[in-house]
Amino acid sequence: MTAREVPTYCRICEPLCGLIATVENDRVVRLRPDRQHPLSQGFACPKGIAFTEVQNDPDRVLYPLRRIANGGFERVTWEVALDEIGARLRAILGEHGRESLGWYFGNPSTFSYSHTLWLLGFQLAAGLRHVYSAGSQDVNNRFVASELLYGSLTSVPVPDLDRTDFLLMIGANPVVSHGSVVSAPRIRDRLTGITKRGGRVVVVDPRRTETARLFDHVGVRPDTDAWLLAALLQVIFAERLEDAAALRDQAAGVAELRSAVARFTPELTAPVTGVDPDVVRALARDLAAARRAAVYGRTGTCLGRHATLVAFLIDALAVVTGNLDRPGGSVFGRELAAVSQLNARLRLLGYDQKRSRVGDFPDVLGTFPATIMAKEITTPGPGRLRALFTSAGNPVLSVPNGDELSAALRQLDLFVSIDLYLNDTNRTADYVLPATTFLERDDAPLPFTGLAPIPYAQYTEPVVRPYGEARQEWEIIDAIASRIGVQPFAFGPARPGGRALSALRRRLPGGGAGLRVRPRLLLDLALRTGPYGDLFGLRRGGLSLAELRRHPHGLVLGEHVRTGVLRHVVRHRDRRVRLAPPQILAELHALADTPTDPGYPLRIIGMRELKSHNSWMHNAESLIARREHAARLHPKDAALAGIADGDRCRITSAHGSIEVTARLTEDLTEGTIAVPHGWGHRGGWRRATAAGGVNVNLLMSSEITDVERLAGMAHLNGVPVRVEAVTTEQI
Ligand SMILES: Nc1nc2c(c(=O)[nH]1)N[C@H]1C(S)=C(S)[C@@H](COP(=O)(O)OP(=O)(O)OC[C@H]3O[C@@H](n4cnc5c(=O)[nH]c(N)nc54)[C@H](O)[C@@H]3O)O[C@H]1N2
Ligand SMILES: Nc1nc2c(c(=O)[nH]1)N[C@H]1C(S)=C(S)[C@@H](COP(=O)(O)OP(=O)(O)OC[C@H]3O[C@@H](n4cnc5c(=O)[nH]c(N)nc54)[C@H](O)[C@@H]3O)O[C@H]1N2
Ligand code: SF4
Ligand SMILES: [Mo]
């Protein structure tokens, strides 16, 4: 049979690079970068190319599996799996109510519009309380900061990379991560473009990263960005460098913020952050003087004890220097579909609309901190989590204290996982249901266009039919929901948008009662009624699914994002950015350095590597070959502990201990040790399991008191540890 070449796009990480898939006999035999993609223009990283190895992996789960007595799995039909799950669910819900049912959705779910949409429908229709996601290990603090600043959880400014003269980048390593919470293919070129235009990029990071090497590096002590940012604001206010006109125009609470940061002089903060007062002053002055500047932070600023405060101060700095919502500044993208607007209007998901049973944490977009999931399973009482679904997640490796979670999962009455693999979490599930890969489903970059400095859209059909008996998540969710009498998209006239949808359904071929709404139909509706939509013909040249199909390599929707949109973004009544909400003033007031415990003199941080992707791409031969899981530490710290390069070392925190190979490098600031997460596999992915390594999150705390209060963020960066040599006798 002849080969076909199909344009599609990668859905492993946020730039969503264009790919060309070669398909032979209904199998994907090759992936290569798409030169015709208008933004990625022939770029794809090694992971995107290696996805064929995931697609064709013999370790992939391709049939529904049911756990058997000896701990292994047996193949069952879909019908048996779904009927048994349905029956067990009905029994659990009958006895303990809806509150006993929960869901954890992991990072890859974000890249599938149909998965997230159906989960949302299920969550709302079933009144699900126990909802958890990778967000509490990733980005929820960023959303809460936006809620406090703009009154809109999902309005997140992104750096206008192609027009800025000065980028202050805090705790991000886009040269390796390819950019996150900013969707910009070829981000390395976009960053070097800034310096080529005569601008500057300053990278604040405890490690001289692959990104920091290309630009100016400020080494900071882990988990102290709040002090550094407060000091930058202090200097700007004290030296009257703020943009008074912008503040008058855009903000409320300026005087309160000014007085709240007044005590954070660079001299006060230097012993905490390790950043010299002269460096802080120069940085504040340069930022304020830059014609067009953007301030951007990512996971390095999200996983500490003050995560929401830090995200808040990052935007505050942009506002105070007059760089919010200005060309070349921190700008707001425009979503493909009016999801945020709709959500805000209907108040579907928000912030602090409910509180968790354990720990009394506010929800963020309907989710609670995944760190407390284990305790929600083990803590007796009404509302105890008894039946859990996971989809596209591996929380045993991604949340603090995976051993506690692993043990808790065994106490569930029912545990079902939807995944590509038997991973380190679902290896003890009652059922593992095979999901399609992204090459086996249709898609559009729904949430990501809103984070793109150059707006674009793309629609891809499935490149191949599902392998084996894999099914799309939405189909599985639909099937499970129907067995407990829940319909994710049963739009009756009483529901929002119900009348229109019911009418639409009736008009479809074969429509009427009993017809399921398919995601594709909702996508088309969302596109057509969205900001770029064709409004069913009212706006010529506007977007629809049909229009996107005419551009299989993707479509750029404008040269740059629009600016001057703040009044539409801000949902506070006065349409002003709030610079002094009480939660933030309280955090600033209480900010106090934790004295170093001599028992744990170092601080541990994470580290992403080009050929790893969180916990799930270690089974691809081309990515894992000749790699090791290793800690990086400064030679001076190593010498103090008697550790040489290549030695085994033991890292111990107040919560756990791991052993790993040590690699010495002067890239780390002294006192910091870096260990990648997502290693230490024990699942059905044989090559990944054979690769060795350990779960670094065994060092992290799942105590309620260690979870960040405002957004429920896990404390994964800047955790105090000590390091020791492992002597041969101990091995
Ligand atoms: N110490 C430390 N811990 C961290 C981080 C850190 O920086 N340091 N980072 C955190 C961050 S940012 C994140 S996002 C989390 C990630 O944490 P999680 O989202 O919990 O886990 P992943 O490692 O992304 O695992 C994804 C799972 O989804 C499966 N999968 C892949 N594609 C699909 C698909 O299309 N459908 C389905 N159904 N399954 C699929 C994979 O096989 C894998 O089992 O980890 C967090 N943990
Ligand atoms: N190759 C690869 N790419 C990925 C991923 C992957 O696993 N591998 N994961 C994807 C995911 S899910 C995400 S969320 C994104 C993340 O995207 P990024 O956030 O850009 O990626 P990281 O490499 O985690 O960068 C965080 C940086 O913060 C630094 N850091 C740690 N602690 C602190 C601190 O206290 N203060 C400051 N200022 N810096 C600190 C770290 O040294 C690190 O360089 O990457 C995505 N892309
Ligand atoms: S950078 Fe790599 S993994 Fe991310 S979207 Fe592009 S090809 Fe895929
Ligand atoms: Mo992430």
Side-chain angles (χ1 to χ4, degrees):
M1 198 178 145
T2 50
R4 282 188 298 134
E5 300 232 299
V6 189
T8 184
Y9 66 89
C10 181
R11 279 149 277 170
I12 298 171
C13 81
E14 293 167 61
L16 309 174
C17 304
L19 293 175
I20 301 288
T22 310
V23 180
E24 266 175 35
N25 298 322
D26 235 7
R27 292 186 73 81
V28 180
V29 296
R30 181 173 174 233
L31 290 166
R32 63 180 166 84
D34 181 3
R35 272 196 229 111
Q36 283 171 269
H37 189 282
L39 293 175
S40 61
Q41 296 173 1
F43 173 85
C45 83
K47 287 177 298 162
I49 302 301
F51 195 78
T52 33
E53 295 170 54
V54 174
Q55 177 69 30
N56 298 317
D57 195 336
D59 290 347
R60 238 184 100 182
V61 175
L62 293 177
Y63 305 94
L65 297 177
R66 176 173 65 189
R67 193 146 57 93
I68 48 179
N70 71 8
F73 287 92
E74 65 183 353
R75 179 176 164 182
V76 289
T77 64
W78 271 106
E79 213 166 78
V80 165
L82 290 170
D83 286 346
E84 287 183 8
I85 291 166
R88 288 174 69 171
L89 266 182
R90 286 193 299 276
I92 296 165
L93 300 188
E95 197 175 337
H96 304 287
R98 288 267 167 88
E99 315 82 76
S100 58
L101 173 59
W103 203 293
Y104 173 94
F105 56 100
N107 172 270
S109 66
T110 328
F111 295 89
S112 163
Y113 84 95
S114 53
H115 185 170
T116 38
L117 199 62
W118 249 248
L119 205 50
L120 174 67
F122 182 61
Q123 180 180 344
L124 296 173
L128 221 62
R129 276 189 66 83
H130 283 292
V131 186
Y132 306 91
S133 81
S136 55
Q137 296 78 256
D138 188 342
V139 69
N140 284 353
N141 62 316
R142 181 54 264 191
F143 294 140
V144 174
S146 284
E147 176 70 20
L148 299 175
L149 286 154
Y150 316 116
S152 172
L153 268 175
T154 48
S155 296
V156 177
V158 299
D160 190 0
L161 296 170
D162 298 317
R163 291 190 288 183
T164 196
D165 302 320
F166 192 110
L167 176 61
L168 174 56
M169 176 150 52
I170 307 167
N173 187 16
V175 166
V176 168
S177 72
H178 299 108
S180 177
V181 191
V182 57
S183 185
R186 290 186 163 272
I187 195 162
R188 184 197 175 112
D189 297 346
R190 304 210 128 83
L191 293 171
T192 50
I194 299 172
T195 44
K196 281 189 191 139
R197 290 195 295 277
R200 260 181 87 195
V201 178
V202 178
V203 182
V204 178
D205 199 301
R207 183 167 75 88
R208 186 153 52 94
T209 60
E210 297 75 0
T211 309
R213 276 168 191 286
L214 301 179
F215 306 106
D216 299 345
H217 177 217
V218 175
V220 68
R221 192 157 158 255
D223 203 12
T224 64
D225 301 277
W227 279 264
L228 178 64
L229 289 159
L232 290 170
L233 284 165
Q234 189 276 337
V235 174
I236 288 169
F237 281 127
E239 300 189 3
R240 303 212 170 280
L241 303 175
E242 73 271 23
D243 187 332
L247 287 173
R248 256 195 315 276
D249 192 37
Q250 295 181 330
V254 181
E256 290 95 322
L257 179 67
R258 178 190 286 125
S259 63
V261 297
R263 72 181 170 105
F264 295 96
T265 60
E267 283 70 25
L268 176 114
T269 57
V272 181
T273 61
V275 184
D276 192 89
D278 291 339
V279 173
V280 178
R281 287 216 161 77
L283 186 55
R285 289 170 191 153
D286 291 349
L287 177 69
R291 204 164 59 93
R292 302 165 152 197
V295 192
Y296 164 73
R298 202 45 200 102
T299 54
T301 63
C302 295
L303 307 174
R305 287 165 308 149
H306 310 286
T308 305
L309 173 65
V310 172
F312 183 96
L313 293 177
I314 286 172
D315 282 16
L317 205 49
V319 178
V320 168
T321 53
N323 285 301
L324 187 75
D325 190 33
R326 299 280 154 84
S330 299
V331 295
F332 294 96
R334 217 167 160 210
E335 294 169 311
L336 267 188
V339 178
S340 292
Q341 264 172 303
L342 204 68
N343 182 40
R345 194 159 310 148
L346 302 177
R347 300 192 62 77
L348 295 177
L349 298 178
Y351 172 55
D352 203 5
Q353 294 185 344
K354 54 187 179 181
R355 290 274 170 150
S356 64
R357 185 180 73 113
V358 170
D360 193 37
F361 289 100
D363 79 294
V364 181
L365 291 167
T367 67
F368 289 128
T371 308
I372 64 164
M373 205 157 63
K375 292 187 174 59
E376 288 284 10
I377 297 170
T378 54
T379 308
R384 181 175 182 173
L385 174 53
R386 292 169 185 273
L388 178 69
F389 287 77
T390 61
S391 57
N394 195 6
V396 162
L397 289 193
S398 55
V399 310
N401 197 354
D403 281 353
E404 179 195 38
L405 179 60
S406 218
L409 292 172
R410 288 166 212 253
Q411 294 186 27
L412 287 165
D413 294 346
L414 177 67
F415 175 18
V416 180
S417 168
I418 307 170
D419 209 283
L420 308 179
Y421 288 101
L422 280 176
N423 67 20
D424 317 288
T425 302
N426 67 22
R427 67 194 178 93
T428 58
D430 297 303
Y431 298 87
V432 177
L433 306 176
T436 52
T437 66
F438 64 74
L439 296 174
E440 297 162 351
R441 64 171 192 247
D442 76 314
D443 239 322
L446 267 198
F448 294 102
T449 305
L451 298 168
I454 300 180
Y456 72 96
Q458 186 164 8
Y459 177 74
T460 177
E461 299 281 359
V463 168
V464 280
R465 276 200 296 267
Y467 285 14
E469 292 180 5
R471 288 190 186 173
Q472 295 189 44
E473 291 86 356
W474 76 268
E475 299 175 287
I476 304 172
I477 294 167
D478 225 46
I480 290 165
S482 75
R483 280 168 177 75
I484 56 167
V486 170
Q487 278 183 290
F489 284 95
F491 287 91
R495 289 189 175 240
R499 210 177 288 276
L501 266 170
S502 309
L504 212 110
R505 270 168 65 169
R506 278 195 298 276
R507 259 188 262 140
L508 295 169
L515 178 86
R516 288 187 314 185
V517 175
R518 298 176 74 85
R520 207 178 292 227
L521 171 74
L522 293 187
L523 175 65
D524 191 34
L525 263 180
L527 288 173
R528 302 185 80 170
T529 54
Y532 299 97
D534 73 351
L535 303 175
F536 301 97
L538 289 180
R539 195 191 283 147
R540 285 187 56 184
L543 280 193
S544 64
L545 210 50
E547 175 64 15
L548 277 184
R549 279 208 176 95
R550 281 193 278 277
H551 301 274
H553 299 277
L555 182 62
V556 168
L557 301 170
E559 203 183 341
H560 300 289
V561 289
R562 298 186 320 166
T563 49
V565 298
L566 195 62
R567 287 196 161 259
H568 303 288
V569 169
V570 175
R571 304 198 81 86
H572 295 310
R573 220 174 270 279
D574 59 1
R575 302 276 152 186
R576 286 172 170 275
V577 181
R578 288 201 183 146
L579 288 182
Q583 298 92 325
I584 292 299
L585 293 184
E587 286 263 312
L588 273 172
H589 186 72
L591 206 54
D593 190 27
T594 31
T596 302
D597 178 340
Y600 306 105
L602 306 180
R603 287 187 178 189
I604 191 167
I605 59 168
M607 181 178 154
R608 284 181 157 78
E609 294 172 290
L610 196 61
K611 291 187 176 180
S612 285
H613 199 79
N614 295 324
S615 76
W616 69 278
M617 291 204 73
H618 286 150
N619 213 46
E621 170 68 17
S622 68
L623 298 179
I624 200 74
R626 293 176 300 283
R627 296 206 28 230
E628 63 170 3
H629 189 216
R632 273 63 160 194
L633 69 165
H634 193 278
K636 283 195 187 156
D637 293 324
L640 280 176
I643 295 167
D645 189 71
D647 282 357
R648 296 287 289 171
C649 67
R650 181 177 311 106
I651 308 171
T652 307
S653 73
H655 313 282
S657 184
I658 60 169
E659 285 182 20
V660 68
T661 304
R663 291 287 165 203
L664 312 194
T665 163
E666 294 193 347
D667 287 343
L668 264 297
T669 52
E670 279 176 55
T672 305
I673 180 165
V675 182
H677 73 282
W679 289 74
H681 298 284
R682 286 186 290 176
W685 27 28
R686 287 170 287 179
R687 215 178 267 118
T689 303
V694 290
N695 176 6
V696 70
N697 287 337
L698 295 178
L699 296 172
M700 314 307 177
S701 168
S702 64
E703 293 305 316
I704 302 297
T705 46
D706 289 318
V707 179
E708 191 256 354
R709 260 290 135 198
L710 290 175
M713 299 306 291
H715 185 196
L716 300 171
N717 270 341
V719 172
V721 294
R722 68 166 172 272
V723 61
E724 296 150 303
V726 177
T727 58
T728 20
E729 299 90 77
Q730 287 169 318
I731 296 172

